[in-house]
Amino acid sequence: MSSVSSNRALFLKAAEDLRSNDKQWQAYEAAGHCVLLAGPGSGKTKTLTVKLARMLSEDVDEPRGIACITYNNECARELESRLETLGIAPGGRVFIGTVHSFSLTQILLPYAKVAGLGLPDEFKVATRQEARAALAAAHAQVIGGPENPQNWDMRLGRHRRRFLNRELPEWRTLDPELTELVEAYEAELRARRLIDFDDMPLLAVRALAANEWLRTAMVAKYPILAVDEYQDLGRALHGMVMGLCFSAGMRLFAVGDIDQSIYGFTGATPELLRRLSERDDVETVRLGLNYRCGSRIVSASEYALGENRGYKAPDGAHEGTIYFHPCTGGHAGHARYLVEELISEIRERRPGTNLGEIAVLYPAAFLGDEVANAAAKHGYSVIRTDGNALYPRGSRLMRWLEQCAMWCCGGWRSGRPRLSRVVSEGARLFHETIIDEDERLTFQRDVTAALWDRRDETLSLSDWLAALRDEIIRPRVDLARSLADELGILNDFLNRIGPDGDVDDFPLGEFAGIGSGLDRLNLSTLHSAKGREFDVVILFGVDEGRLPRNNATENDVREARRLFYVGFTRARHEIHLVYAQHNPSRFVTEVQERLEGE
């Protein structure tokens, strides 16, 4: 059987699992523009994956392909993994990545010069330090004074993302000082031959709007555009969709949920998804079953959201349970209770539950410090996904190194992960330096040799990472235009576990365990937990003044409620709400009162 026939057989078999759900099947069968409105646990990733496989097989002739834009690298990895089970390897005809990655690799790097964007030749992506230095110089020029220039960073970002079209009068009149600061900051970047993170989609949408030939070229390469988590991707992505899909002829398959829009501070605008779903030339499908959460958690989640969406658990689903834990004292005491009593009760009630199946979610990273400290004193290992983690979980390089470590610590025997997968993920990471088959073979040989000689879980992590940095990573980062910040993250981590760092060095096997989860308590901010699921979820620190925060605007309260809803719907079997006894969040009180009134 040919590989094409084999791949087709795989996705057709997977498609049969969608047939029993009328709405999933409707989305699978949609032939034109389609928006899939998918609530928590509704099977949207499975639907999207099988739909992508079908469109690639039946609707797109080689060598043309499909682009799939996701919110973050975690989402991209999940889609890649699922597509691989259907016989579709990322790369080649399939682009899967963030809107920033799409903008940089598919538009700016190949076309910036001819698109008339005025970027310096051989521009690079600014590191965090370089961006801070450019802002400091612009601030001194425009604002002056002794304040920290970085205090302007968030306002500056919001202002830039708000105006896709700077020809509008409002660009000059709404906040002239801020506009002047933006222009000075961007001029500083260009003088240093740099663009920054926000530049990527903003420049890409500008290039597409100004150049019909570029829109034609993108449609020729990718006749279909898929977008996951549409509600989180902001105005620049929406501008691209409008131009490519509703003017230039690219077909759209978008997936999202307005109720899970929680990134307003990065420019997410859920209203854009609502408008898109209401277009006459778009087929809109709403998934109504929640396969993840127990039936009682599904019904209570609508109380958490404060809206009746009609979500249901499938027939025969487990019930699920909601527990309320009012606590006295401060957060440190609440964390001790969680670690010393609550987790023990959970494991006694659910024999066989390991720590990796339990997540503690909280509104702010400092609350995670309290839980981490209590866990350490109790002898529990943790894995953190917040701003105080050992390193950013969104780092593509660090996640790849976790995969390398897992291979060195037994994966070479078990095939989990396979070496071919480790090499292919690394090749995508360093794609700028791997421009032909000879380079790919050299990379494969170098990675294989480096890992084969270090298959020992007792090795010092510091020594192992330093060796891979010097042999594999640094030579390639030096040749790339977009990876300097990733190397900076690795160096920062090495400094932390070095002799003068704040964290003791630990064995390679422990680092490999971070990658696989194992028996570690999951600690995460509510924002970082989006898209994940656990058997048991503990919402910690859900107090009034924290969720929502004090002096919140009406929009802030709405987004805080959606954030609470996202945390609530991560749980399969049990959801625990831990809060100050005399200061529960209004959202906790509403859920409790609604449940008591049933």
Side-chain angles (χ1 to χ4, degrees):
M1 181 183 292
S2 71
S3 62
V4 173
S5 299
S6 176
N7 293 351
R8 181 174 170 79
L10 286 171
F11 89 74
L12 287 175
K13 182 178 179 182
E16 286 303 309
D17 293 337
L18 305 181
R19 193 183 289 273
S20 61
N21 183 312
D22 292 344
K23 295 300 183 180
Q24 288 181 340
W25 190 255
Q26 182 183 346
Y28 175 74
E29 290 278 82
H33 298 313
C34 180
V35 169
L36 183 65
L37 299 177
S42 59
K44 64 100 175 173
T45 304
K46 180 177 182 178
T47 307
L48 173 59
T49 305
V50 179
K51 179 70 172 177
L52 286 171
R54 180 182 190 176
M55 292 189 297
L56 192 67
S57 173
E58 297 182 355
D59 301 336
V60 180
D61 294 330
E62 293 190 61
R64 305 173 82 191
I66 292 177
C68 182
I69 293 177
T70 66
Y71 178 70
N72 58 28
N73 290 314
E74 291 289 308
C75 297
R77 286 170 61 92
E78 173 69 12
L79 280 174
E80 288 173 355
S81 177
R82 294 200 185 202
L83 280 172
E84 196 171 39
T85 66
L86 300 179
I88 298 171
R93 296 173 62 207
V94 184
F95 170 88
I96 301 177
T98 64
V99 66
H100 296 85
S101 175
F102 180 80
S103 300
L104 180 66
T105 64
Q106 305 301 306
I107 298 174
L108 299 183
L109 289 177
Y111 299 118
K113 192 167 186 178
V114 291
L117 292 175
L119 292 179
D121 291 343
E122 299 302 313
F123 66 87
K124 291 192 173 185
V125 177
T127 65
R128 289 168 295 172
Q129 280 187 323
E130 289 169 335
R132 284 195 290 266
L135 178 54
H139 181 274
Q141 175 186 333
V142 176
I143 309 295
E147 72 170 329
N148 184 350
Q150 305 312 313
N151 292 343
W152 288 76
D153 183 59
M154 189 168 288
R155 285 180 61 199
L156 181 120
R158 280 199 300 264
H159 197 60
R160 295 171 76 195
R161 292 188 294 266
R162 179 172 183 173
F163 288 95
L164 298 185
N165 179 5
R166 294 185 178 178
E167 300 301 316
L168 294 173
E170 290 83 359
W171 173 246
R172 295 284 167 204
T173 60
L174 182 67
D175 191 330
E177 183 180 54
L178 194 51
T179 290
E180 187 179 357
L181 180 62
V182 167
E183 292 179 342
Y185 167 68
E186 291 177 350
E188 284 289 338
L189 286 176
R190 304 300 179 261
R192 301 165 194 231
R193 308 176 74 84
L194 299 170
I195 66 171
D196 73 355
F197 193 68
D198 276 338
D199 269 323
M200 296 177 194
L202 294 174
L203 289 169
V205 75
R206 207 171 300 162
L208 288 167
N211 296 281
E212 183 180 0
W213 63 264
L214 180 53
R215 298 193 296 274
T216 301
M218 295 307 299
V219 175
K221 185 175 183 180
Y222 298 120
I224 297 177
L225 174 66
V227 183
D228 191 18
E229 304 290 2
Y230 196 100
Q231 75 282 349
D232 291 328
L233 288 161
R235 295 181 184 277
L237 182 277
H238 189 68
M240 289 185 207
V241 166
M242 291 298 104
L244 289 171
C245 299
F246 297 99
S247 295
M250 192 178 280
R251 177 176 156 196
L252 175 68
F253 187 82
V255 181
D257 181 11
I258 295 166
D259 294 332
Q260 294 187 77
S261 180
I262 57 174
Y263 295 105
F265 59 92
T266 68
T269 310
E271 173 67 13
L272 299 176
L273 175 59
R274 186 190 64 76
R275 275 191 239 152
L276 182 66
S277 69
E278 293 175 352
R279 288 179 63 106
D280 292 337
D281 52 356
V282 169
E283 181 178 358
T284 297
V285 182
R286 181 182 291 276
L287 300 183
L289 289 177
N290 182 330
Y291 295 97
R292 174 191 302 149
C293 306
S295 56
R296 187 162 174 78
I297 296 175
V298 172
S299 59
S301 71
E302 296 203 332
Y303 304 156
L305 182 63
E307 301 280 353
N308 181 10
R309 298 293 189 232
Y311 292 127
K312 299 184 183 305
D315 293 340
H318 60 277
E319 184 175 45
T321 317
I322 301 99
Y323 297 88
F324 296 86
H325 302 275
C327 296
T328 57
H331 288 127
H334 300 178
R336 285 194 300 273
Y337 163 74
L338 186 158
V339 168
E340 296 172 7
E341 298 183 42
L342 180 53
I343 290 177
S344 297
E345 292 173 9
I346 291 167
R347 299 178 89 174
E348 184 176 334
R349 185 169 53 251
R350 301 181 56 80
T353 298
N354 68 38
L355 291 177
E357 295 164 332
I358 302 172
V360 183
L361 313 181
Y362 33 82
F366 82 89
L367 295 167
D369 293 342
E370 300 287 7
V371 181
N373 291 337
K377 291 175 183 175
H378 199 70
Y380 287 157
S381 296
V382 303
I383 176 170
R384 293 187 69 166
T385 312
D386 61 29
N388 292 341
L390 280 174
Y391 49 84
R393 298 293 295 165
S395 165
R396 293 174 294 155
L397 176 60
M398 296 305 297
R399 294 304 300 270
W400 180 65
L401 288 168
E402 288 175 2
Q403 293 287 310
C404 292
M406 291 167 66
W407 189 85
C408 288
C409 296
W412 62 278
R413 289 194 196 94
S414 67
R416 298 178 184 174
R418 297 192 307 274
L419 181 60
S420 60
R421 176 67 185 270
V422 174
V423 171
S424 66
E425 287 200 16
R428 286 198 300 282
L429 178 63
F430 298 107
H431 66 92
E432 287 181 67
T433 68
I434 302 175
I435 57 177
D436 56 33
E437 189 59 27
D438 287 343
E439 291 285 353
R440 182 175 293 276
L441 290 173
T442 298
F443 179 76
Q444 179 178 337
R445 183 192 65 225
D446 292 350
V447 170
T448 301
L451 298 184
W452 188 264
D453 291 340
R454 296 177 176 87
R455 294 168 297 144
D456 183 351
E457 62 185 24
T458 66
L459 289 174
S460 154
L461 176 62
S462 180
D463 292 345
W464 184 87
L465 285 173
L468 262 67
R469 177 193 60 188
D470 296 340
E471 294 175 22
I472 303 293
I473 297 165
R474 183 179 282 147
R476 289 173 172 86
V477 169
D478 289 344
L479 298 174
R481 291 200 267 172
S482 62
L483 292 174
D485 227 13
E486 291 285 355
L487 180 59
I489 289 169
L490 172 57
N491 285 332
D492 288 347
F493 179 52
L494 276 166
N495 289 335
R496 292 194 69 183
I497 61 176
D500 299 322
D502 62 325
V503 178
D504 290 337
D505 192 11
F506 49 89
L508 178 62
E510 188 169 340
F511 182 65
I514 291 174
S516 61
L518 297 180
D519 194 23
R520 296 168 180 269
L521 183 65
N522 294 281
L523 306 185
S524 173
T525 57
L526 287 161
H527 284 98
S528 296
K530 188 161 177 288
R532 305 175 70 190
E533 56 186 65
F534 306 91
D535 281 357
V536 179
V537 167
I538 302 169
L539 297 189
F540 180 78
V542 281
D543 305 327
E544 192 70 12
R546 180 60 54 189
L547 195 74
R549 62 181 174 82
N550 288 324
N551 304 314
T553 66
E554 192 174 325
N555 278 338
D556 292 337
V557 171
R558 281 197 292 267
E559 183 155 313
R561 184 183 283 282
R562 293 196 296 265
L563 187 61
F564 180 65
Y565 171 71
V566 164
F568 208 95
T569 52
R570 300 309 93 197
R572 297 188 192 98
H573 297 285
E574 293 186 6
I575 177 81
H576 296 259
L577 306 174
V578 178
Y579 51 92
Q581 182 173 15
H582 300 297
N583 190 38
S585 165
R586 68 188 74 174
F587 308 141
V588 172
T589 301
E590 288 173 23
V591 171
Q592 189 167 26
E593 290 175 350
R594 294 286 297 275
L595 287 172
E596 290 172 352
E598 288 182 347

